[in-house]
Amino acid sequence: MSLGGVEVAGRRVLVTGAAGLVGANLVAALRAGGARVRATVHRKPLTAAEGIEVVSCDLLDPAAARAVVDGCEWVFHCAALGGAAATFQQAGGLEYLANFDMDRAVLAACTAAGAAKLVWLGSTTAYPPCMDRPVTEEDLLTGEPFEKYYGVGWCKRFTEVLFRLHARSGRGGPSIAVLRPTAVYGPHDDFEPASSHVIPALIRRVVAREQPLEVWGTGEERRDFIYVDDVVRAMLLAAGRVVGLETFNLGAGRTCTIRELVETLVRIDGFGEPDLRFRADRPTTIPSRSVSVERAAGGLGWVPGVSLEEGLARTVAWYRSREAGLHS
């Protein structure tokens, strides 16, 4: 079966971090397309595992990485450590080096096993501020990452440089697609208060009808939010088309303010007129971030297809359904 123009039926694929936001949605798409899916989990279980091979392992262990990659043609590396709280609390970055070690182990495993493709999720946190314009793929190393992203940003850069060195080494190995998505959201997101990013945190508060409805920051911060299905489609296209080493930004192509985001969620869920309070005294991140997605359009034939309002409505519906199931 073809997914977004990419044939996956019968193909042996590995998805790491399969219980996370992107991994869970990617597994569902691959399974629906008839792929033979192996999925890794570590600290979080996979809720829908029918028809796939689930392996519990720590990818920081090179031997474990080699074992799960063995026999797979395509590897979608979605596993990562961290979360929203870690971005604020660990600006130094040393804790993020575990992600670099894991990425290095997966790359070595792909090379040893003869995997054809490695699709890796980078991050726009690696970019310097560039707040006056959309960042392009070439901007990555033109300045320091934004201070609040310093640790995670540099460690994402370390992995990208590792991929560049490997590609130049002449030692073979998989073709590598580096995807740098903006703020991804959707079903299977992390809604835990201690670790959730802005959209799941706001959905949780709106559904709970919190009064007052507090939002960290001024409300004027601008973000580019991308729905998870659009990211999954880009990953499949990258696996099918990338040869060598290629890098692509992924984003919705438009920004909105946090105030506009909150107002949209309130309208979608019928909250009425909440007592909305913005807390400029609370921690926040970069004032504005947007990305150019022209390269993905030209190189992958990819454009985002889900509007913010539609994506938010789907995510709210999924969250309400999950909550109903947990409390039934």
Side-chain angles (χ1 to χ4, degrees):
M1 178 178 176
S2 175
L3 293 176
V6 178
E7 187 62 50
V8 299
R11 192 178 294 276
R12 184 63 163 168
V13 302
L14 171 68
V15 178
T16 71
L21 166 60
V22 176
N25 286 279
L26 176 60
V27 165
L30 287 165
R31 185 176 54 188
R36 299 164 58 204
V37 182
R38 179 181 295 162
T40 74
V41 295
H42 186 209
R43 297 172 181 170
K44 183 179 177 183
L46 188 61
T47 56
E50 298 82 7
I52 65 173
E53 177 188 359
V54 180
V55 180
S56 179
C57 69
D58 184 354
L59 292 171
L60 287 169
D61 178 357
R66 287 195 297 272
V68 295
V69 170
D70 187 50
C72 294
E73 301 172 70
W74 291 356
V75 175
F76 298 92
H77 184 27
C78 307
L81 304 173
T87 301
F88 288 117
Q89 297 168 3
Q90 306 288 345
L94 291 179
E95 76 291 342
Y96 288 109
L97 286 173
N99 283 321
F100 173 73
D101 292 338
M102 180 165 50
D103 299 338
R104 181 171 55 181
V106 170
L107 174 61
C110 288
T111 302
K117 301 291 178 69
L118 170 60
V119 180
W120 177 74
L121 288 179
S123 171
T124 56
T125 59
Y127 281 118
C130 299
M131 288 177 283
D132 59 334
R133 60 176 176 80
V135 292
T136 67
E137 288 80 0
E138 290 78 11
D139 286 321
L140 188 71
L141 299 178
T142 59
E144 298 278 337
F146 183 69
E147 178 59 28
K148 292 286 180 60
Y149 304 150
Y150 194 83
V152 64
W154 266 111
C155 288
K156 288 292 187 180
R157 289 180 177 191
F158 293 161
T159 295
E160 292 213 26
V161 171
L162 170 67
F163 290 159
R164 293 185 193 185
L165 292 172
H166 185 83
R168 291 169 61 92
S169 70
R171 297 177 182 175
S175 290
I176 303 172
V178 173
L179 304 181
R180 301 175 188 153
T182 55
V184 187
Y185 71 98
H188 301 286
D189 210 336
D190 177 6
F191 289 85
E192 292 301 316
S195 53
S196 56
H197 289 276
V198 60
I199 285 182
L202 288 172
I203 288 175
R204 185 184 67 249
R205 294 171 185 169
V206 167
V207 168
R209 298 298 190 259
E210 287 189 9
Q211 292 283 22
L213 181 58
E214 290 192 347
V215 182
W216 289 11
T218 66
E220 300 311 308
E221 300 87 355
R222 301 197 71 88
R223 298 288 183 271
D224 180 331
F225 297 105
I226 183 170
Y227 189 64
V228 67
D229 284 4
D230 283 331
V231 176
V232 166
R233 185 161 47 85
M235 296 179 78
L236 294 168
L237 287 168
R241 300 187 183 188
V242 166
V243 176
L245 172 63
E246 296 189 57
T247 304
F248 302 95
N249 287 336
L250 302 179
R254 64 177 295 273
T255 62
C256 73
T257 67
I258 299 301
R259 179 182 293 276
E260 290 168 340
L261 171 66
V262 177
E263 291 172 348
T264 302
L265 279 172
V266 166
R267 183 177 71 255
I268 285 171
D269 204 45
F271 194 168
E273 297 184 6
D275 179 10
L276 186 57
R277 300 182 187 180
F278 290 95
R279 294 288 304 275
D281 60 317
R282 303 297 288 176
T284 187
T285 53
I286 193 166
S288 180
R289 169 59 44 90
S290 63
V291 302
S292 168
V293 293
E294 291 183 7
R295 180 183 290 183
L300 298 177
W302 176 90
V303 292
V306 181
S307 70
L308 181 63
E309 183 146 355
E310 180 183 357
L312 290 175
R314 293 183 192 178
T315 309
V316 168
W318 180 88
Y319 177 72
R320 279 193 167 278
S321 175
R322 189 198 73 160
E323 290 299 289
L326 290 175
H327 298 101
S328 62

